[in-house]
């Protein structure tokens, strides 16, 4: 394996261009020095928000300063992620994060102060033409009035932001930095280093001995630290439970979903609908066992590739063209912007020493969208580029059609555009591919998307729901309770063909999303919505594309449930979940037939 280069050795042509944020670090430092004056200005308005004019002046100021603070934070975050070992980026990120908390604390009085107005006064403010650009925000604020605390109380909660993140930060530090794993041997006796970052890669290896050994070594370390993980997760749950009670919500889940005005029934409908379609998942698990040719299917077999797959390596230039071709059904304006993403330096392409792993899309209202990837030439790398481009194009559409106060889209819809792009890519690849072995590998990738995002994330959502509910009933979330709950859910979701190794019960401890409070379900609902939308785009053409692009334009100008309804997907109904699982079954049938052609 080729040794990674230092950041300074990388070709700038394949690095992101951050100049739409700041020209250089010196320009960032100069802007950062002005942040204290923003915070002082925001704090000075406390006690003045009494009428339409004063509220308008504050919101205009707050929006302008939020844009500046966002620029500071995004740039610092990018500089940090380019090389996480570099002291300068670490310092910039720490300073930006701390200043962001200061700004939020300094303005935390605003919403409770506005909501302290009488209902008649607040209605008059909302209907005042001066505030027409903020009417949606104010109406949403009014909706949450009964759950907003007094200004001093909100200030206390805001000021404890960093302290209350201690459980999450401790779990992350333990998982990513402090835990050590014993090296493992493969079927030929070769030794492999096992790390947090390469565990899944080892689980995807064709060598079953390597998979089993890495599985047992990995979860041995989690078992040794399970009391600590139980304590950190309990801390996060208790924090949410306490805040929900303070704000007058019936549960932490109700509080988490209220921000986006998502009915709790959407969460329950997802779980109930997936439960009714477990037979399709069990059928996939059975196919997996058959294609792997094993007498017993273990948990260390669930990531193993079902076919050799395309061994072909793709250049970055290949990947760009593949993504461009895949998204061509979305029209010329969309593809022209994708071309600009390639030419204008939106993307930091290759891995280097110290660079943050994985991939993401970022950017601010005033900058170009920004994508971090670690492109290695695999088909997964191509798919990741399509995925992150979906996010960035969503960002581009939103900020070019909405004012800054409505330019951020909800997490409930955040994974839709990215998954639409991934689906369009794999559908394009399947349409072009005739070789049965390669088709089987592509179908396997498609099936894994459904398994990992619809079924698995729904399983996570059910774990989170039950864990929080147990805590709210006064039950202890000790290791045995959490282990048993997770073990039962894995057995239920994977079915009778899976041998339940004891190590499975520790897996919950490695899932960082459990610290983000009722977030995982949006992956499953988002994937289901994206499946419905990509099917409509490919089968209905222009009418579906038009609705989809309008959805991308909406930002937070409407509630996310209503935005998806505009695009043609109603997640208050089980229909989109069922439609996605119908597609899963169709892909599964294709995989079964293709496997038969190969004599498997």
């Amino acid at each position: 394996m080729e040794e990674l280069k230092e950041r300074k050795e990388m070709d700038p042509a394949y690095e992101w261009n951050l100049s739409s944020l700041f020209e250089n670090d010196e320009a960032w430092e100069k802007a950062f020095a002005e942040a204290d004056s923003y915070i002082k200005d925001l704090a000075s308005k406390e006690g003045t928000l009494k009428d339409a004019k004063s509220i308008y002046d504050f919101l205009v100021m707050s929006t302008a300063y939020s844009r500046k603070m966002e620029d500071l934070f995004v740039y610092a975050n990018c500089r940090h992620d380019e090389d996480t070992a570099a002291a300068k980026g670490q310092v910039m990120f720490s300073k930006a994060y701390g200043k962001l908390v200061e700004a939020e604390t300094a303005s935390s009085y605003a919403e409770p102060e506005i909501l302290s107005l009488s209902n008649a006064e607040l209605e008059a403010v909302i209907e005042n033409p001066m505030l027409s650009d903020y009417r949606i925000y104010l109406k949403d604020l009014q909706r949450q009035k009964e759950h907003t605390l007094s200004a001093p109380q909100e200030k206390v909660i805001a000021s404890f932001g960093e302290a209350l993140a201690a459980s999450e930060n401790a779990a992350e530090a333990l998982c990513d930095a402090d835990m050590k794993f014993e090296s493992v041997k493969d079927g030929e006796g070769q030794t492999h280093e096992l790390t947090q970052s390469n565990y899944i890669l080892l689980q995807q290896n064709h060598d079953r001995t390597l998979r089993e050994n890495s599985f047992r070594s990995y979860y041995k370390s989690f078992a040794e630290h399970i009391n600590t993980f139980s304590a950190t997760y309990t801390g996060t749950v208790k924090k949410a439970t306490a805040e929900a009670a303070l704000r007058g919500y019936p549960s932490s889940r109700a509080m988490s979903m209220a921000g986006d005005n998502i009915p709790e029934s959407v969460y329950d409908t997802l779980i109930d609908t997936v439960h009714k379609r477990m037979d399709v998942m069990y059928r996939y698990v059975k196919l997996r066992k058959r294609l792997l040719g094993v007498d017993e299917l273990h948990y260390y077999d669930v990531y193993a590739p079902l076919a050799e797959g395309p061994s072909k390596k793709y250049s970055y230039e290949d990947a760009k063209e593949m993504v461009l071709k895949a998204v061509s059904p979305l029209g010329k304006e969309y593809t022209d912007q994708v071309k600009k993403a390639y030419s204008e330096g939106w993307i930091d392409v290759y891995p280097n020493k110290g660079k943050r792993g994985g991939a993401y899309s970022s950017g601010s209202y005033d900058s170009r969208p920004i994508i971090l990837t670690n492109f290695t030439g695999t088909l997964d790398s191509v798919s990741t580029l399509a995925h992150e481009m979906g996010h960035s194009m969503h960002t581009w559409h939103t900020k070019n059609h909405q004012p800054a106060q409505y330019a951020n889209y909800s997490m409930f819809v955040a994974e839709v555009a990215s998954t639409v792009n991934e689906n369009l890519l794999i559908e394009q690849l399947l349409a072009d591919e005739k070789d049965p072995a390669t088709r089987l590998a592509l179908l396997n990738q498609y099936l894994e998307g459904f398994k990992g995002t619809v079924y698995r994330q729904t399983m996570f959502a059910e774990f989170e729901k039950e864990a929080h509910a147990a805590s709210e009933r006064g039950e202890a979330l000790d290791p045995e309770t959490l282990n048993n709950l997770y073990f039962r859910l894995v057995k239920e979701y994977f079915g009778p063909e899976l041998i339940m190794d004891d190590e499975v019960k520790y897996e919950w401890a490695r899932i960082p999303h459990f610290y983000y409070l009722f977030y995982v379900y949006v992956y499953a609902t988002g994937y289901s919505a994206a499946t419905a939308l990509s099917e409509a785009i490919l089968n209905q053409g222009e009418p579906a594309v038009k609705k989809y692009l309008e959805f991308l334009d909406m930002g937070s100008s409407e509630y996310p449930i209503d935005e998806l309804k505009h695009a043609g997907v109603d997640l208050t109904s089980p229909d989109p979940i069922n439609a996605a699982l119908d597609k899963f079954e169709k892909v599964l049938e294709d995989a079964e037939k293709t496997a038969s052609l190969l004599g498997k």
Side-chain angles (χ1 to χ4, degrees), residues 258-314:
D260 286 329
N261 201 25
I262 309 293
E264 287 188 84
S265 60
V266 170
Y267 199 110
D268 294 328
T269 295
L270 169 68
I271 293 173
D272 292 344
T273 307
V274 169
H275 269 270
K276 291 172 184 174
R277 303 292 297 275
M278 290 293 197
D279 60 318
V280 190
M281 177 63 171
Y282 297 169
R283 188 170 142 197
Y284 174 50
V285 172
K286 188 173 183 179
L287 175 66
R288 170 167 284 281
K289 179 181 177 182
R290 184 182 112 205
L291 292 182
L292 290 175
V294 295
D295 294 330
E296 293 183 344
L297 189 81
H298 289 258
Y299 209 57
Y300 48 80
D301 297 318
V302 299
Y303 289 107
L306 299 183
E308 285 296 330
S311 56
K312 178 181 176 182
K313 287 286 186 177
Y314 301 90

Side-chain angles (χ1 to χ4, degrees), residues 283-404:
R283 188 170 142 197
Y284 174 50
V285 172
K286 188 173 183 179
L287 175 66
R288 170 167 284 281
K289 179 181 177 182
R290 184 182 112 205
L291 292 182
L292 290 175
V294 295
D295 294 330
E296 293 183 344
L297 189 81
H298 289 258
Y299 209 57
Y300 48 80
D301 297 318
V302 299
Y303 289 107
L306 299 183
E308 285 296 330
S311 56
K312 178 181 176 182
K313 287 286 186 177
Y314 301 90
S315 71
Y316 179 57
E317 298 305 318
D318 291 335
K320 290 195 297 184
E321 289 305 311
M322 289 164 72
V323 171
L324 199 59
K325 182 178 181 182
V327 300
S328 61
L330 297 176
K332 186 175 185 302
E333 181 188 41
Y334 193 99
T335 55
D336 283 349
Q337 275 309 127
V338 172
K339 291 175 185 176
K340 284 187 178 182
Y342 297 153
S343 64
E344 292 180 351
W346 292 17
I347 309 167
D348 203 83
V349 180
Y350 295 112
N352 57 253
K353 282 185 180 178
K355 183 176 173 180
R356 173 179 165 155
Y360 64 71
S361 171
S362 183
S364 72
Y365 186 74
D366 295 298
S367 78
R368 292 183 289 264
I370 292 165
I371 295 173
L372 178 142
T373 69
N374 283 274
F375 188 83
T376 58
T378 64
L379 185 58
D380 279 344
S381 288
V382 181
S383 186
T384 296
L385 179 62
H387 180 101
E388 299 306 334
M389 188 61 70
H391 282 307
S392 283
M393 287 301 298
H394 194 174
T395 298
W396 182 87
H397 270 266
T398 294
K399 76 174 197 168
N400 279 278
H401 291 86
Q402 297 296 334

